[in-house]
Each structure stands twice: as C-alpha cells, then as structure tokens.
C-alpha cells in the first residue's frame, strides 16, 4: 500500500482554496493510503493548541475524520507551526514526530525532515531557529495570552517576509554539505523534505553510493505529494480544480 508525503500546505483563513484542496485530498486519495506524513508547515501559523481560528479548526476536524477512518497520520513541526502540541495531537488523532527522523520505506533507509535544518547558509535564520525550537522559550511564549501570541505571530510573519526579500535565493536553499553530513550520519539513501518550496528530485553520490533527495513543493497554487509504494516513488503536483 502507498505511503503519502506532503508538506508546506501553509493553510490559513486568507486562502481557503488550499484548505479545500487538502480536505478533498484527505477524503479522496489519502483515504486509501497506508500512512500519511505531513512534513511541517501544515499551517501558516499556530500560536498554541488553544488557537480558536475557524480555518484551523476546520482543518483539525478534517484530520480527526481522516484518522478516525483508520489511517495513521504523522505530523512534523515546520518553522511556522512549531507550537503544534499534545492537545492538537489528541484533537486530530495525529502523531507528532521529531524533525528529522529516520524511517524504513519499502526497505529503503530514508530521512524525513522539514528541511530548514539544512539551510545552513542562512545564518540569521538558523539563529532564530535555535531560539524558537527551545522548549523553555516555547513555554514562555505559550504562557502569554492568546491575543498577544496572535499579534506576535503576525509580526513574526512580517519579519520573515522582509528577511526573505532581503536574502538571495541560493542562501535560502539547502546547503549541499549539510545534506551530505545528514546522509552520512544517518546512513540513509533517500532524504525527503520540504520548506524550500522547490519541488524536485535530486540524485547525488555520497561515499560512492548514489542517493536521492526528494523535495516537496508548497500548496499555494497547487498541491504537491510524494506517493511511495512497492513499485517506487513518484513526486506529483496536484492541480487545483
Ligand atoms: Mn518551512
């Protein structure tokens, strides 16, 4: 049976078409899958499990329906929704998994990651990542009132857009050495990640052995999915109807 991988849906009330497409995906082809992996940035923002936003609630209900149908769904934190927590998992029936994580897919040792970890050329971003992934920092943030956290999230998104505008594109892509180190350390043949929104398949060699990096695209204008079954993997765009 097929394993499905998606990432970078960036679901948000300002663009409900992406949410509609994801819900149709859950009710459609994802139903027949053996497992669904969401490799980060399912949501454009997540300010805590007490988030009462209507669009995010709608997505959580669809995920709960999906997992109630018996298909496991694994969710990894992205740089937008790193505050997804235990309550979210309980409400949706999803399982939160660490970033990165090694798994076996059809006998292939594979590293799953959101992808920002590999963008080591963007030093400013990595400094920020270290701060926001710190559990103590997250606890202090979560202790603030919901309205305050929403304001902070808006500001953080504006700051992130400004940084993206100022930074040259190559710096925001993955660093080849970082990938190589991860491949060697984790002894994997395949890496699957998102974050850069540069959907593609990259073949390369590490220590004389050929490896593959599969990059999922974002769901801004269309969907992006990897399906992997006994006949191999396919990376597909999902046109929006
Ligand atoms: Mn990301």
């Amino acid at each position: 049976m097929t394993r499905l991988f998606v990432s970078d849906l960036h679901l948000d009330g300002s663009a409900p078409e992406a949410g509609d497409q994801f819900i149709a995906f859950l009710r459609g082809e994802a139903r027949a899958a053996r497992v669904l992996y969401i490799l980060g940035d399912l949501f454009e923002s997540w300010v805590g499990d007490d988030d009462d936003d209507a669009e995010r609630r709608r997505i959580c209900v669809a995920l709960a329906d999906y997992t109630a149908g018996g298909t496991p769904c694994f969710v990894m934190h992205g740089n937008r929704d790193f505050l997804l927590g235990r309550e979210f998992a309980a409400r949706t029936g999803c399982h939160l998994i660490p970033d990165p994580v090694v798994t076996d897919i059809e006998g292939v040792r594979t590293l799953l990651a959101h992808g920002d970890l590999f963008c080591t050329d963007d030093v400013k971003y990595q400094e920020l990542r270290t701060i926001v992934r710190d559990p103590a920092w997250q606890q202090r943030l979560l202790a603030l009132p919901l309205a305050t956290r929403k304001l902070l999230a808006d500001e953080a998104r504006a700051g992130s857009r400004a940084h993206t505008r100022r930074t040259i594109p190559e710096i925001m892509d993955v660093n080849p050495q970082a990938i190589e180190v991860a491949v060697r350390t984790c002894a994997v043949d395949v890496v699957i990640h998102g974050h850069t929104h540069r959907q593609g398949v990259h073949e390369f060699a590490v220590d004389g052995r050929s490896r593959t990096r599969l990059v999922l695209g974002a769901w801004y204008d269309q969907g992006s999915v990897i399906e992997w079954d006994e006949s191999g993997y396919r990376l597909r765009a999902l046109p929006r109807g």
Side-chain angles (χ1 to χ4, degrees):
M1 271 167 86
T2 312
R3 289 175 172 87
L4 296 177
F5 303 84
V6 297
S7 76
D8 300 277
L9 296 101
H10 291 276
L11 301 180
D12 188 67
S14 64
E17 319 80 60
D20 293 345
Q21 185 179 16
F22 180 59
I23 290 171
F25 171 78
L26 290 177
R27 291 178 182 159
E29 73 166 290
R31 253 300 162 230
R34 169 180 179 164
V35 56
L36 171 64
Y37 289 92
I38 302 173
L39 300 183
D41 288 352
L42 168 63
F43 296 104
E44 173 69 4
S45 67
W46 187 270
V47 295
D49 290 351
D50 54 346
D51 197 336
D52 55 1
D53 172 82
E55 177 68 359
R56 287 187 268 277
R57 217 168 35 229
R58 176 172 85 113
I59 301 303
C60 287
V61 168
L63 281 170
D65 284 349
Y66 179 70
T67 58
T71 313
C73 179
F74 295 107
V75 177
M76 185 178 278
H77 290 128
N79 53 301
R80 302 298 189 134
D81 53 10
F82 55 83
L83 287 176
L84 288 170
R86 250 179 258 142
E87 292 286 317
F88 161 80
R91 187 151 38 110
T92 58
C94 294
H95 306 279
L96 291 168
I97 55 170
D99 172 20
V101 67
V102 176
T103 184
D104 182 289
I105 303 169
E106 302 291 343
V108 180
R109 234 175 114 83
T110 301
L111 183 67
L112 308 177
H114 178 56
D116 53 339
L117 188 67
F118 306 131
C119 299
T120 51
D121 294 332
D122 193 344
V123 175
K124 283 260 172 290
Y125 174 78
Q126 291 300 331
E127 284 171 4
L128 180 69
R129 186 180 191 277
T130 303
I131 294 169
V132 304
R133 298 281 180 128
D134 171 27
W137 182 88
Q138 292 185 2
Q139 284 314 311
R140 288 199 296 278
L141 181 65
L142 286 168
L144 297 170
L146 179 60
T148 310
R149 278 177 274 141
K150 283 182 178 172
L151 278 175
L152 289 171
D154 289 343
E155 282 180 27
R157 284 167 67 192
S160 162
R161 276 193 294 273
H163 177 69
T164 305
R165 272 197 304 275
R166 278 195 307 264
T167 309
I168 59 168
E170 286 68 33
I171 286 186
M172 290 183 294
D173 201 355
V174 299
N175 174 291
Q177 280 79 45
I179 295 287
E180 203 176 306
V181 166
V183 161
R184 192 174 286 127
T185 309
C186 302
V188 293
D189 288 320
V190 173
V191 180
I192 301 180
H193 71 84
H195 181 66
T196 61
H197 302 178
R198 298 169 192 213
Q199 179 178 301
V201 177
H202 305 270
E203 307 282 352
F204 57 103
V206 175
D207 301 334
R209 189 178 164 108
S210 114
R211 327 273 177 155
T212 307
R213 182 167 66 90
L214 305 174
V215 186
L216 288 156
W219 281 50
Y220 289 133
D221 307 312
Q222 59 178 1
S224 176
V225 66
I226 290 166
E227 48 178 38
W228 194 336
D229 58 23
E230 51 289 339
S231 68
Y233 57 77
R234 288 164 297 281
L235 172 57
R236 287 192 294 126
L238 300 173
R240 189 163 295 162

